[in-house]
Amino acid sequence: MFKNNQIIITSSINKKNLLKKLNKELLNIKIYSINEFNKLYYFDYQENAIYYVMNKLNVKYEIAKIYIDNMFYVESKEYKNNKLSFLVALKEELLSNKLLKVNKLFISTLKNKSIVFYNLPLTKELKHLISLLSINNEVTIMNDDVSSNHHTIYELQTIEDEVEYVANSICKLIKKGISPDKIFLVNLNDEYRKLIKRIFPMFNIPYTLDNTESVYGTFISTKFFENYNSDLSITLESISKYVDSNCSEDIFNKIINIINKYTFVDDKELVKEMIKYDLKKTKLNRIDIPNSIHEVNLKDTIFKDDEYVFVMSFNQGIIPVIYKDENYLTDNDKKELNVSLTVDKNNLERQIISNKLNSINNLVITYKKNANGEEFSISSLNEILNYEVEKTEAPSLDNSDIYNQIKLTSLLDEYYKYGTKSNLLSILNNHYSNLPYNTYKHNFTGISSLDLKEYLDNKLTLSYSSLDKYFRCPFSYYIGNILKLNIYEETFYQLVGTLFHSILEKFNNSSLSYNELWNNEVASLNHEFTNKEFFFLNKLKEELKFIIEVIKEQENFTELHDELHEERIYTSISGDIKITFTGIIDKIKYKKEDTETIIAIIDYKTGNPNLDLTTIPYGIGMQLPIYLYLARNSHKLENVKVAGFYLQKVLNNEVSVDNTHSYEQLKKKNLLLQGYSNEDMDILSKFDNSFMDSNIIKSMKVKNDNSFYSYTKVLSSEDMDYIASLAEEKIKEGAKKICNAEFNISPKKIGKINFGCNLCKFKDICFHTNDDIEELKPLTQEDILGGEANGMD
């Protein structure tokens, strides 16, 4: 088949198979994948080239990469097209700076060689490459004979019917003695994967699916960016304590491998966004279950004659992939290049998939008619394949009792709600006559604390938000924070909050102008804003600029000029597992005086501040008390004296117009700090020397007799100490109850407010009744601290 001294160019999967086959033969040949050969023949590049383009053109990572990837087929000549001329100039610049690796030695070794292109689709790019190589070489195009197996396509009514049909078909194969590791699933998306994870276990089918999660979304990666430092050795050392399992170690190693690509920059702050992009594109290793059905890529897998393949979702628009003319280089741009047009790519894709399906010996193809209220049609690829289509309705009932019972409940729902009665309903109803249909006990039956600790790997991390959720309703915490069933959907409002916090953290210490800082932070969000969002974003840009100017003005009335920003503080809680409590304080202003450190705690709020302290004894709404507790535990602050703890509303600043103040004055008034101040005027004056009629703190005013007005919110140092200690007690209490697996459905209601169910996302899971609600007595500040109410509303 192949001869000595030949160079074989093929696909990556064919290369692997050829190396296995030719390993036994003593042939002096070289085998390259087409991607490897292109990089050697044209050029290759690394991250330093992307970094150069990003900085030169002020573009994002992905844009810089698009520019470089489109340079492969442009030549050093004049083009009529502006895009092509731009790419040529940029390519020449990268070459002159030695940022593109051209392997001239490799090109010289190709002369007078016998080159074989083996089993490669004849694209326009490949034809051009062959023409170039044919000048000095003997070039051969070799393809294996394409099989012409004829198969059947099975039509199912719904996506769930389709997955059920495949599960039953796999069960039949396994009963015939076919090993699961000889069965493969292809053409899956996340919707199919979710159904497979739900349905296959009911049929006792072992499976291994591709892992679609990225390294970026992992706990280790989150900690990596929280501790990000220009010297990444410091960062790696700080997160190494979280690496204590094989999975975490693998992720840690992937992070190190990515970091090692950026040795060309000493200050790693300059490549933070590049590293973040890389981590998003790096997938987690899939956990391979032995002797299981595997998900594989259809085009990249060579199937043996005794293997069985299930092609699911054989629907139009899903298979084959349909390319659109929406790349950086459009079809019109490509006319001057030896590059395939969109129509060529689509025709080639159809041919590749058709040949692949025809080559498989044992193949089952299925497609759905409906899914999630949307109608689907069979893939137009069958116009080429001309396979027989068979409608399949009657499922097998021999493989899963539990699935049959779930199916029966679904059919009974349809019957009682819509009067729909199918033949399957009668069959299943007669067989499962004792099914406890329409009965439900909503009570949480509980889990073992030992099982929980094993599941948590003997580690528990708590924060204000998670603890607050637990005290509002333990079951809600269990669903969201233990089972992690929260669906996080980042809204425009949340993005704006992130943007505001980031700029407010950096504006004092940045050498950039406000506009430059704003543009950089907006770009770092990696979000495609709509026109409507851009409109509001531009409005908010001016709003934040005004806020920063007001904050700078407030600096004129304080002695506390040292600041900590986005200060993350960790504390350890005693227990039989490792318990860590952590929180981030937006800003701590401080001044060291002799042996004391006077501080003011400020948290930025993009919504309406909650200043109520009366729910603290119940563990609810403890954000400000927890900040007091954390500030006292910061290793950066010694012998703390608190001048005050506040919230500053930096968004949602509606103003009520009056006749005594200008609009600007009203806006500034809205930016006054809201919270609690120390009644010790010597301490308070260090933070706010205008406290007699404050320019910093809302509703802070002193009478002529040096007493505070009744509406001011002031506390003694002892009161603040007590509040901090109360927060610590509730943290310890919550941690203990969580470790004991106390997760009853028990939403808390104080007075008329149901704190447990308000805004809870899991109402459709718990089905709580009035008996589950725990009624708590409303408290006053006097109940908690004693004495006068100190301006509590």
Side-chain angles (χ1 to χ4, degrees):
M1 183 177 181
F2 298 111
K3 302 174 184 178
N4 271 321
N5 300 315
Q6 280 187 323
I7 294 174
I8 303 167
I9 306 169
T10 186
S11 65
S12 296
I13 187 66
N14 275 316
K15 177 184 174 180
K16 291 179 183 178
N17 281 279
L18 282 177
L19 288 171
K20 288 179 183 178
K21 287 180 182 179
L22 299 176
N23 191 38
K24 298 176 184 178
E25 299 182 34
L26 297 175
L27 289 175
N28 181 22
I29 60 174
K30 291 183 179 179
I31 305 175
Y32 298 99
S33 73
I34 184 63
N35 288 334
E36 290 171 342
F37 189 86
N38 281 339
K39 289 177 181 180
L40 290 167
Y41 187 78
Y42 292 109
F43 66 80
D44 195 6
Y45 67 94
Q46 294 179 334
E47 273 63 27
N48 57 345
I50 301 173
Y51 178 76
Y52 180 89
V53 175
M54 286 174 66
N55 286 284
K56 176 179 175 59
L57 302 177
N58 194 25
V59 295
K60 293 182 181 179
Y61 182 104
E62 47 266 55
I63 301 299
K65 195 171 188 309
I66 287 171
Y67 288 158
I68 298 175
D69 287 340
N70 278 282
M71 292 177 188
F72 274 97
Y73 301 106
V74 296
E75 301 173 39
S76 297
K77 66 178 187 179
E78 290 187 9
Y79 290 98
K80 297 176 183 177
N81 185 290
N82 290 334
K83 283 185 188 176
L84 301 183
S85 298
F86 162 75
L87 291 178
V88 169
L90 186 57
K91 182 178 181 180
E92 292 294 335
E93 185 171 343
L94 291 174
L95 286 169
S96 65
N97 284 284
K98 297 182 179 179
L99 293 170
L100 299 182
K101 296 166 64 179
V102 178
N103 197 328
K104 295 181 180 179
L105 178 61
F106 173 77
I107 295 171
S108 66
T109 61
L110 293 177
K111 288 183 179 180
N112 303 318
K113 294 286 186 180
S114 173
I115 301 175
V116 178
F117 287 89
Y118 174 64
N119 277 354
L120 284 174
L122 207 57
T123 63
K124 193 173 181 181
E125 293 90 335
L126 191 64
K127 289 178 182 177
H128 178 63
L129 178 61
I130 291 170
S131 67
L132 293 175
L133 292 171
S134 298
I135 298 171
N136 297 308
N137 304 282
E138 176 191 345
V139 178
T140 306
I141 299 173
M142 184 183 297
N143 292 298
D144 291 337
D145 293 334
V146 178
S147 304
S148 55
N149 293 308
H150 197 77
H151 303 290
T152 301
I153 302 172
Y154 297 94
E155 176 189 302
L156 283 303
Q157 196 61 35
T158 68
I159 184 173
E160 186 162 326
D161 292 340
E162 188 181 358
V163 176
E164 178 192 350
Y165 176 81
V166 170
N168 277 308
S169 301
I170 290 172
C171 285
K172 290 178 183 177
L173 291 175
I174 293 173
K175 286 177 180 178
K176 288 180 181 178
I178 305 300
S179 175
D181 60 10
K182 289 187 174 293
I183 303 173
F184 300 92
L185 304 173
V186 300
N187 200 40
L188 304 182
N189 59 26
D190 284 342
E191 195 170 7
Y192 279 88
R193 292 186 188 99
K194 288 176 185 176
L195 283 171
I196 287 168
K197 289 175 183 178
R198 178 166 68 84
I199 292 175
F200 275 32
M202 299 183 202
F203 289 82
N204 292 319
I205 299 173
Y207 61 87
T208 297
L209 301 180
D210 283 345
N211 201 332
T212 58
E213 297 179 54
S214 72
V215 172
Y216 181 74
T218 61
F219 175 77
I220 296 292
S221 177
T222 301
K223 292 297 178 187
F224 173 75
F225 285 106
E226 284 177 1
N227 294 275
Y228 198 93
N229 189 286
S230 59
D231 182 354
L232 287 181
S233 62
I234 297 173
T235 306
L236 292 174
E237 185 178 350
S238 66
I239 68 169
S240 60
K241 60 186 175 184
Y242 301 109
V243 182
D244 52 10
S245 67
N246 290 334
C247 182
S248 294
E249 187 175 350
D250 177 64
I251 295 168
F252 187 70
N253 289 333
K254 286 182 183 293
I255 293 173
I256 291 174
N257 289 337
I258 287 171
I259 290 170
N260 288 339
K261 293 157 60 175
Y262 295 93
T263 54
F264 59 89
V265 175
D266 291 329
D267 183 359
K268 295 301 187 289
E269 277 289 346
L270 300 174
V271 292
K272 183 177 180 180
E273 293 308 311
M274 296 178 72
I275 291 174
K276 188 179 291 186
Y277 180 89
D278 265 352
L279 289 175
K280 287 179 179 179
K281 292 297 181 183
T282 304
K283 302 299 179 185
L284 296 176
N285 291 341
R286 73 178 183 183
I287 301 173
D288 205 328
I289 298 171
N291 197 33
S292 66
I293 285 102
H294 280 70
E295 176 188 355
V296 295
N297 186 288
L298 178 63
K299 290 196 292 185
D300 293 342
T301 309
I302 296 176
F303 300 102
K304 298 176 182 177
D305 287 345
D306 63 342
E307 293 177 334
Y308 293 78
V309 182
F310 287 84
V311 177
M312 303 170 75
S313 191
F314 192 73
N315 289 101
Q316 180 65 13
I318 298 175
I319 186 171
V321 173
I322 298 175
Y323 297 98
K324 296 179 181 179
D325 185 13
E326 55 188 15
N327 292 331
Y328 172 69
L329 290 181
T330 65
D331 284 350
N332 191 51
D333 299 325
K334 294 173 185 174
K335 288 178 181 178
E336 293 186 68
L337 299 175
N338 293 293
V339 177
S340 299
L341 302 181
T342 304
V343 64
D344 302 323
K345 292 168 71 176
N346 283 324
N347 289 336
L348 187 61
E349 180 75 7
R350 289 166 67 87
Q351 194 59 54
I352 290 170
I353 298 296
S354 299
N355 291 342
K356 190 69 179 182
L357 295 177
N358 284 330
S359 71
I360 300 172
N361 195 35
N362 304 299
L363 178 67
V364 175
I365 304 175
T366 60
Y367 79 98
K368 59 189 175 293
K369 294 284 287 181
N370 298 284
N372 300 322
E374 185 179 355
E375 293 186 358
F376 290 83
S377 59
I378 190 171
S379 171
S380 61
L381 195 61
N382 200 37
E383 294 171 5
I384 298 174
L385 297 167
N386 199 27
Y387 291 165
E388 180 183 347
V389 179
E390 181 180 312
K391 292 185 179 181
T392 306
E393 294 180 358
S396 171
L397 304 175
D398 302 331
N399 298 306
S400 175
D401 266 338
I402 187 171
Y403 187 78
N404 291 343
Q405 292 176 57
I406 292 173
K407 187 80 172 179
L408 173 56
T409 60
S410 176
L411 294 172
L412 285 169
D413 285 344
E414 289 184 14
Y415 174 69
Y416 288 119
K417 288 181 179 179
Y418 310 112
T420 305
K421 185 176 181 180
S422 68
N423 294 331
L424 186 59
L425 172 60
S426 300
I427 296 169
L428 290 173
N429 201 36
N430 289 333
H431 187 75
Y432 300 103
S433 56
N434 295 323
L435 184 76
Y437 176 74
N438 210 20
T439 62
Y440 178 69
K441 293 180 181 179
H442 77 285
N443 306 83
F444 180 55
T445 55
I447 59 172
S448 160
S449 61
L450 292 176
D451 289 343
L452 174 66
K453 290 167 186 174
E454 183 180 352
Y455 172 76
L456 294 173
D457 198 19
N458 289 311
K459 299 188 298 293
L460 175 66
T461 301
L462 291 172
S463 63
Y464 156 69
S465 58
S466 62
L467 196 65
D468 186 66
K469 184 183 290 186
Y470 179 82
F471 280 114
R472 288 171 185 262
C473 178
F475 185 72
S476 178
Y477 171 88
Y478 173 70
I479 295 295
N481 294 72
I482 301 297
L483 299 184
K484 303 187 186 303
L485 297 183
N486 269 320
I487 298 175
Y488 178 71
E489 296 177 354
E490 195 168 42
T491 64
F492 175 69
Y493 190 78
Q494 288 165 328
L495 285 169
V496 169
T498 301
L499 178 65
F500 271 44
H501 274 75
S502 183
I503 293 175
L504 287 167
E505 174 195 354
K506 297 173 182 175
F507 78 87
N508 266 338
N509 299 316
S510 176
S511 60
L512 301 175
S513 68
Y514 175 73
N515 286 339
E516 290 172 331
L517 183 58
W518 173 274
N519 291 336
N520 283 354
E521 294 303 315
V522 169
S524 70
L525 293 174
N526 288 322
H527 179 77
E528 292 185 12
F529 293 99
T530 64
N531 290 336
K532 180 180 178 181
E533 289 172 340
F534 261 122
F535 172 79
F536 285 112
L537 207 58
N538 287 328
K539 295 284 185 184
L540 291 169
K541 178 181 178 182
E542 295 307 311
E543 184 69 23
L544 181 56
K545 186 176 183 181
F546 176 81
I547 291 167
I548 289 172
E549 289 170 355
V550 172
I551 291 174
K552 287 179 178 178
E553 286 179 15
Q554 291 175 348
E555 281 294 302
N556 297 323
F557 303 98
T558 184
E559 295 179 28
L560 277 56
H561 296 300
D562 292 326
E563 295 180 353
L564 298 174
H565 290 273
E566 295 292 315
E567 183 66 10
R568 178 173 286 280
I569 301 170
Y570 296 91
T571 62
S572 295
I573 308 298
S574 61
D576 53 358
I577 66 173
K578 182 181 178 182
I579 305 172
T580 303
F581 187 85
T582 183
I584 300 175
I585 302 176
D586 287 340
K587 182 164 70 175
I588 301 175
K589 296 182 71 63
Y590 68 95
K591 180 182 181 182
K592 293 182 179 179
E593 287 194 341
D594 298 326
T595 60
E596 295 180 343
T597 306
I598 298 173
I599 71 167
I601 300 167
I602 300 171
D603 186 63
Y604 299 124
K605 298 299 290 184
T606 52
N608 290 315
N610 172 32
L611 302 174
D612 188 8
L613 299 179
T614 63
T615 57
I616 300 172
Y618 302 125
I620 296 171
M622 296 198 301
Q623 186 171 19
L624 284 174
I626 280 175
Y627 287 159
L628 272 178
Y629 160 74
L630 288 172
R632 281 171 160 75
N633 284 276
S634 171
H635 68 278
K636 297 179 181 179
L637 304 169
E638 296 179 358
N639 197 14
V640 165
K641 292 290 182 182
V642 180
F645 51 101
Y646 310 96
L647 300 174
Q648 186 166 33
K649 187 167 67 171
V650 295
L651 200 56
N652 192 26
N653 288 317
E654 301 94 347
V655 297
S656 300
V657 178
D658 61 34
N659 296 323
T660 58
H661 298 86
S662 68
Y663 177 67
E664 183 174 310
Q665 287 173 326
L666 291 170
K667 284 180 68 177
K668 287 183 178 180
K669 186 178 178 182
N670 258 12
L671 288 168
L672 294 175
L673 304 180
Q674 300 179 49
Y676 295 87
S677 303
N678 198 314
E679 66 180 12
D680 186 325
M681 294 183 181
D682 288 336
I683 295 175
L684 179 57
S685 64
K686 300 293 183 182
F687 172 55
D688 180 8
N689 56 39
S690 69
F691 73 90
M692 302 291 286
D693 188 6
S694 181
N695 293 298
I696 297 179
I697 306 165
K698 187 176 182 180
S699 302
M700 170 58 66
K701 196 168 184 178
V702 178
K703 299 178 185 178
N704 291 332
D705 62 358
N706 275 350
S707 63
F708 291 99
Y709 277 88
S710 60
Y711 52 74
T712 59
K713 291 181 170 61
V714 291
L715 299 169
S716 67
S717 293
E718 291 75 17
D719 288 339
M720 292 185 184
D721 289 340
Y722 177 71
I723 290 171
S725 66
L726 191 58
E728 183 175 13
E729 286 178 19
K730 299 308 294 185
I731 291 170
K732 291 178 179 178
E733 178 190 334
K736 182 178 180 181
K737 288 183 174 182
I738 291 169
C739 290
N740 289 336
E742 297 179 26
F743 300 125
N744 290 333
I745 299 172
S746 178
K748 305 301 186 294
K749 185 178 181 182
I750 305 175
K752 295 181 180 180
I753 303 175
N754 187 328
F755 284 91
C757 300
N758 186 24
L759 302 178
C760 179
K761 298 177 181 178
F762 307 118
K763 296 175 185 177
D764 294 337
I765 296 176
C766 78
F767 293 97
H768 76 275
T769 66
N770 287 334
D771 292 336
D772 296 313
I773 297 173
E774 187 176 344
E775 302 269 359
L776 301 174
K777 176 187 173 183
L779 301 173
T780 64
Q781 185 176 350
E782 186 176 0
D783 293 328
I784 303 168
L785 301 175
E788 297 181 3
N790 284 337
M792 282 295 298
D793 296 327

